[in-house]
Amino acid sequence: MINKELRIGVIGVGAIGTEHIKRINHKIKGARVVGIYDILEEEKKKLADEMGIIFYGSGEDLISSDDVDAILITSIDETHADYVLKALAQEKYVFCEKPLAIDNQSCAKIVEAEVKCGRRLVQVGFMRRYDKGYMELKKLIESKSYGEVLMLHCAHRNPESGLHYTTPMSIIQTAVHEIDVLRWLLQDDYVSVESILPKKQTKMTHDNLHDPQILVLETKNGVVIQLEIFVNCQFGYDIKCEVVCENGELGLVDPHYTYVKHNFSNQTPISPDWQTRFKEAYDTEFQLWVNGVLNNKLEGPSSWDGYVASIITTAGTESTNKGEKINVMLQEKPSIY
Ligand code: NAP
């Protein structure tokens, strides 16, 4: 039985965990953070004391506490699957930041465990589905006013990525957002993925990173998506999604900004980072998740979506390694999704 106010326990209080805690406690209605756990015990215990909330002795203690109704997982990727499975074992609602797990088998295991619970309990942090621009694009596509969608030209550009960033990470950590949001936008699934590594690379790259890269995704309905991933573009955080239809083109513009025409120039700022670009999307994502949990009806990105994203990112890196197009097959979608 969930209280009127959802009591959330957070596992992993790093960069995005800290932002989500502030978001939940200061912006979101109907929820508050009551406890945290992080492997950096000493530092985060202090934080918990400052916030007047409980620091749990382990993620497991937090998950099984009677004082925690729902779990938010914002620890590092490798830890997600285990915590999600433990939350499902307690039949508790759990919001897991992307990725759901770091391999296809673990994602499938989560899907299986959730199906055994008989209802949706998991939401995955694919927040682009809550971005105003993507939501409007979806409505325009579904209106059919511009005919059928033929192809998409997309780009995911970050100003810089650092020396830790590698070629597979461009797909697994960066392109994964498009991989999820585009199949939601088109209400379609992918049948193949091909990774192309252009010979010409930026000077800003390093030995372990091929930058930029291109992914070509083909859907069941025959739509071809060309996705540029460029993680050292230097000029800003730039997200493009151009939908070419039979009799029209639809696309995203960078929100929030005004342009200045002056001295024979025309200047429009570009978002500096993903936090700024998708700030409102994160707020909407969390409000709707809390509403969904309180109403016992989750509608956001599911374990199934996390599983599909994993299948596609794995196939994408396989394509990079083999230098060929990879056809993808999904297991049958369970009826709870
Ligand atoms: P981060 O700053 O490294 O924070 C992760 C935190 O988890 C760190 O404090 C880390 O401690 C802690 N941790 C490590 N192992 C743990 C364990 N076994 N149990 C509990 N806590 C543990 O990373 P971040 O940038 O916040 O990213 C966190 C997650 O969010 C990642 O999975 C990432 O992919 C996802 N993310 C999603 C988006 C999005 O747009 N949806 C954006 C950013 C990040 P140590 O520092 O000691 O390892």
Side-chain angles (χ1 to χ4, degrees):
M1 180 74 178
I2 289 171
N3 289 336
K4 250 192 174 167
E5 188 175 57
L6 188 70
R7 298 167 304 172
I8 299 174
V10 182
I11 300 181
V13 187
I16 203 163
T18 307
E19 282 197 24
H20 286 340
I21 290 174
K22 281 191 208 142
R23 173 170 287 116
I24 291 166
N25 285 343
H26 300 297
K27 286 190 179 169
I28 304 302
K29 293 194 179 76
R32 83 194 140 96
V33 174
V34 293
I36 58 174
Y37 169 70
D38 190 289
I39 206 161
L40 277 176
E41 298 202 0
E42 212 169 303
E43 189 184 318
K44 306 298 170 176
K45 201 171 176 311
K46 248 191 228 157
L47 180 72
D49 288 345
E50 279 164 25
M51 290 172 64
I53 59 173
I54 297 173
F55 184 87
Y56 284 91
S58 69
E60 290 72 13
D61 284 354
L62 179 148
I63 290 168
S64 58
S65 166
D66 287 340
D67 298 326
V68 171
D69 303 314
I71 325 294
L72 166 59
I73 301 174
T74 42
S75 46
I76 54 172
D77 297 1
E78 292 76 9
T79 62
H80 292 184
D82 195 37
Y83 286 135
V84 172
L85 286 167
K86 283 178 174 144
L88 285 176
Q90 303 276 333
E91 298 219 11
K92 283 196 177 176
Y93 282 102
V94 53
F95 183 108
C96 179
E97 258 310 341
K98 60 87 196 163
L100 180 61
I102 54 162
D103 57 69
N104 298 343
Q105 292 78 2
S106 303
C107 288
K109 221 168 141 185
I110 291 170
V111 166
E112 198 187 320
E114 196 178 26
V115 167
K116 271 198 189 134
C117 295
R119 64 197 173 111
R120 280 204 51 197
L121 291 167
V122 181
Q123 180 159 324
V124 183
F126 289 127
M127 78 300 175
R128 288 218 192 163
R129 297 185 185 201
Y130 302 96
D131 175 63
K132 196 164 171 261
Y134 281 110
M135 290 196 285
E136 282 177 6
L137 269 186
K138 191 165 191 288
K139 275 198 195 137
L140 291 171
I141 290 170
E142 287 171 358
S143 74
K144 300 274 183 202
S145 304
Y146 311 93
E148 292 293 320
V149 174
L150 301 176
M151 53 196 157
L152 269 67
H153 304 292
C154 305
H156 188 148
R157 299 174 180 148
N158 292 64
E160 59 184 354
S161 59
L163 289 175
H164 72 289
Y165 220 80
T166 60
T167 303
M169 286 167 91
S170 283
I171 296 178
I172 295 165
Q173 306 228 343
T174 300
V176 67
H177 282 293
E178 272 82 8
I179 286 169
D180 177 72
V181 80
L182 299 180
R183 61 181 272 279
W184 167 83
L185 195 65
L186 299 174
Q187 291 294 291
D188 200 354
D189 262 314
Y190 304 115
V191 291
S192 70
V193 52
E194 182 172 10
S195 144
I196 296 168
L197 302 179
K199 247 190 201 161
K200 192 84 178 164
Q201 292 182 67
T202 168
K203 289 183 193 70
M204 301 307 296
T205 195
H206 55 85
D207 286 352
N208 297 320
L209 175 68
H210 201 107
D211 195 36
Q213 300 181 36
I214 292 170
L215 274 193
V216 180
L217 296 142
E218 199 181 349
T219 73
K220 269 189 187 159
N221 288 335
V223 176
V224 172
I225 300 165
Q226 206 184 43
L227 167 61
E228 169 200 314
I229 313 142
F230 186 12
V231 295
N232 285 289
C233 80
Q234 303 291 296
F235 58 78
Y237 182 73
D238 192 27
I239 298 300
K240 288 188 185 307
C241 181
E242 205 176 275
V243 183
V244 184
C245 302
E246 285 172 298
N247 56 47
E249 182 191 296
L250 317 167
L252 290 179
V253 287
D254 213 352
H256 314 304
Y257 297 108
T258 40
Y259 60 78
V260 176
K261 291 184 183 180
H262 180 63
N263 277 344
F264 302 94
S265 79
N266 184 352
Q267 289 188 354
T268 316
I270 302 175
S271 290
D273 48 44
W274 51 269
Q275 290 95 325
T276 313
R277 172 64 179 82
F278 289 111
K279 188 166 163 280
E280 284 165 15
Y282 287 112
D283 294 345
T284 310
E285 173 188 45
F286 270 88
Q287 188 61 67
L288 294 183
W289 175 64
V290 167
N291 297 353
V293 173
L294 290 173
N295 292 318
N296 263 317
K297 193 167 173 20
L298 282 193
E299 289 178 339
S302 65
S303 297
W304 178 257
D305 298 313
Y307 159 79
V308 174
S310 176
I311 294 281
I312 305 304
T313 54
T314 305
T317 47
E318 186 185 344
S319 173
T320 309
N321 295 337
K322 291 186 175 163
E324 62 187 37
K325 179 165 103 176
I326 305 294
N327 293 321
V328 288
M329 285 277 291
L330 303 176
Q331 65 182 43
E332 204 176 315
K333 186 168 157 179
S335 59
I336 65 161
Y337 301 111

